[in-house]
Coordinates of all heavy atoms in Angstrom, one line a residue:
Chain B
S700 N 52.8 88.6 97.6 CA 53.1 88.6 96.2 C 52.9 90.0 95.5 O 53.0 90.1 94.3 CB 52.2 87.6 95.4 OG 50.9 87.9 95.5
T701 N 52.6 91.0 96.3 CA 52.5 92.3 95.7 C 53.6 93.3 96.2 O 54.1 93.1 97.3 CB 51.1 93.0 96.1 OG1 51.2 94.3 95.7 CG2 50.9 92.9 97.6
A702 N 54.0 94.1 95.3 CA 55.1 95.1 95.7 C 54.5 96.3 96.3 O 55.2 97.2 96.7 CB 55.9 95.4 94.4
D703 N 53.2 96.4 96.4 CA 52.5 97.6 96.9 C 52.9 97.8 98.4 O 52.8 96.9 99.3 CB 51.0 97.4 96.8 CG 50.3 98.7 97.0 OD1 50.7 99.5 97.9 OD2 49.2 98.9 96.3
R704 N 53.3 99.0 98.7 CA 53.8 99.3 100.0 C 52.7 99.2 101.1 O 52.9 99.0 102.2 CB 54.3 100.8 100.1 CG 55.6 100.9 99.5 CD 56.8 101.0 100.5 NE 58.0 101.0 99.8 CZ 59.1 101.5 100.4 NH1 59.0 102.1 101.5 NH2 60.2 101.5 99.7
A705 N 51.4 99.4 100.6 CA 50.2 99.4 101.4 C 50.2 98.0 102.2 O 49.6 97.9 103.3 CB 49.0 99.7 100.7
A706 N 50.8 96.9 101.5 CA 50.7 95.7 102.1 C 51.4 95.6 103.4 O 51.0 94.9 104.4 CB 51.3 94.6 101.1
V707 N 52.6 96.3 103.5 CA 53.3 96.3 104.6 C 52.6 97.1 105.7 O 52.5 96.6 107.0 CB 54.7 97.1 104.5 CG1 55.5 97.3 105.8 CG2 55.6 96.2 103.5
G708 N 52.0 98.2 105.4 CA 51.2 99.0 106.3 C 50.0 98.1 106.9 O 49.8 98.2 108.1
K709 N 49.4 97.3 106.1 CA 48.4 96.5 106.6 C 48.9 95.3 107.5 O 48.4 95.0 108.6 CB 47.6 95.8 105.5 CG 46.4 95.0 105.9 CD 45.3 95.8 106.5 CE 44.1 94.9 106.9 NZ 43.1 95.7 107.6
L710 N 50.1 94.7 107.0 CA 50.6 93.6 107.8 C 51.0 94.0 109.3 O 50.8 93.3 110.2 CB 51.9 93.1 107.1 CG 52.7 91.9 107.6 CD1 51.8 90.7 107.7 CD2 53.9 91.6 106.8
I711 N 51.5 95.2 109.4 CA 52.0 95.6 110.8 C 50.9 96.2 111.6 O 51.2 96.7 112.8 CB 53.2 96.7 110.7 CG1 52.7 97.9 110.0 CG2 54.4 96.0 110.0 CD1 53.9 99.0 109.9
T712 N 49.7 96.2 111.1 CA 48.6 96.8 111.9 C 47.5 95.7 112.2 O 46.6 96.0 113.0 CB 48.0 98.0 111.3 OG1 47.7 97.8 110.0 CG2 49.0 99.2 111.3
M713 N 47.6 94.6 111.5 CA 46.4 93.7 111.7 C 46.6 92.8 112.9 O 46.9 91.6 112.7 CB 46.0 92.9 110.4 CG 47.1 92.3 109.6 SD 46.4 91.6 108.0 CE 47.6 90.4 107.6
T714 N 46.5 93.4 114.0 CA 46.7 92.7 115.3 C 45.9 91.4 115.5 O 46.2 90.6 116.2 CB 46.5 93.6 116.4 OG1 45.2 94.3 116.3 CG2 47.5 94.8 116.6
E715 N 44.8 91.4 114.8 CA 43.8 90.2 114.9 C 44.5 88.9 114.3 O 44.3 87.9 114.8 CB 42.7 90.5 114.1 CG 41.4 89.8 114.4 CD 40.2 90.2 113.6 OE1 40.4 91.4 113.0 OE2 39.3 89.5 113.4
Y716 N 45.4 89.1 113.3 CA 45.9 88.0 112.6 C 47.4 87.8 112.8 O 47.9 86.7 112.5 CB 45.6 88.1 111.1 CG 44.1 88.2 110.8 CD1 43.5 89.2 110.1 CD2 43.4 87.1 111.2 CE1 42.2 89.2 109.9 CE2 42.0 87.2 110.9 CZ 41.4 88.2 110.2 OH 40.0 88.3 110.0
V717 N 48.1 88.8 113.2 CA 49.6 88.7 113.3 C 50.0 88.9 114.7 O 49.6 89.9 115.4 CB 50.3 89.8 112.4 CG1 51.8 89.5 112.4 CG2 49.7 89.6 111.0
D718 N 50.8 88.1 115.3 CA 51.2 88.1 116.7 C 52.4 88.9 116.9 O 52.6 89.6 118.0 CB 51.3 86.8 117.3 CG 50.0 86.0 117.3 OD1 49.1 86.6 118.1 OD2 49.8 85.0 116.6
V719 N 53.4 88.9 116.0 CA 54.6 89.6 116.1 C 55.2 89.8 114.8 O 55.1 89.1 113.8 CB 55.6 88.9 117.1 CG1 56.0 87.5 116.5 CG2 56.8 89.7 117.4
I720 N 55.9 91.0 114.6 CA 56.6 91.3 113.4 C 58.1 91.3 113.7 O 58.6 91.8 114.7 CB 56.2 92.8 113.0 CG1 54.8 92.9 112.6 CG2 57.1 93.3 111.8 CD1 54.4 92.3 111.2
V721 N 58.8 90.6 112.8 CA 60.3 90.7 112.9 C 60.8 91.4 111.7 O 60.8 90.8 110.6 CB 60.9 89.2 113.0 CG1 62.4 89.3 113.1 CG2 60.3 88.4 114.1
P722 N 61.2 92.6 111.8 CA 61.8 93.3 110.6 C 63.3 93.0 110.5 O 64.0 92.9 111.6 CB 61.6 94.8 111.0 CG 61.3 94.8 112.4 CD 61.2 93.5 113.0
R723 N 63.7 92.6 109.3 CA 65.1 92.3 109.1 C 65.6 93.2 108.0 O 65.2 93.1 106.9 CB 65.3 90.9 108.7 CG 65.0 90.0 109.9 CD 65.5 88.6 109.8 NE 66.8 88.5 109.1 CZ 67.5 87.3 109.2 NH1 66.9 86.2 109.7 NH2 68.6 87.2 108.6
G724 N 66.4 94.3 108.4 CA 66.7 95.2 107.4 C 67.5 96.4 108.1 O 67.7 96.4 109.4
G725 N 67.7 97.4 107.4 CA 68.4 98.5 107.9 C 67.6 99.4 108.9 O 66.4 99.1 109.1
K726 N 68.2 100.3 109.5 CA 67.7 101.2 110.5 C 66.5 102.0 109.9 O 65.5 102.2 110.6 CB 68.8 102.3 110.9 CG 69.1 102.3 112.3 CD 70.5 102.8 112.5 CE 70.6 104.3 112.8 NZ 71.9 104.6 113.4
S727 N 66.7 102.4 108.7 CA 65.6 103.2 108.2 C 64.3 102.5 108.0 O 63.2 102.9 108.2 CB 66.0 103.9 106.8 OG 66.2 102.9 105.8
L728 N 64.4 101.2 107.5 CA 63.2 100.3 107.5 C 62.5 100.2 108.8 O 61.3 100.4 109.0 CB 63.6 98.9 107.0 CG 62.5 97.9 107.1 CD1 61.4 98.0 106.1 CD2 63.1 96.4 107.0

Side-chain angles (χ1 to χ4, degrees):
Chain B
S700 65
T701 168
D703 195 321
R704 286 262 174 149
V707 172
K709 183 70 184 173
L710 182 61
I711 63 176
T712 51
M713 51 184 198
T714 50
E715 203 180 339
Y716 300 119
V717 184
D718 295 295
V719 65
I720 295 285
V721 183
R723 292 196 37 173
K726 239 155 96 165
S727 63
L728 168 73

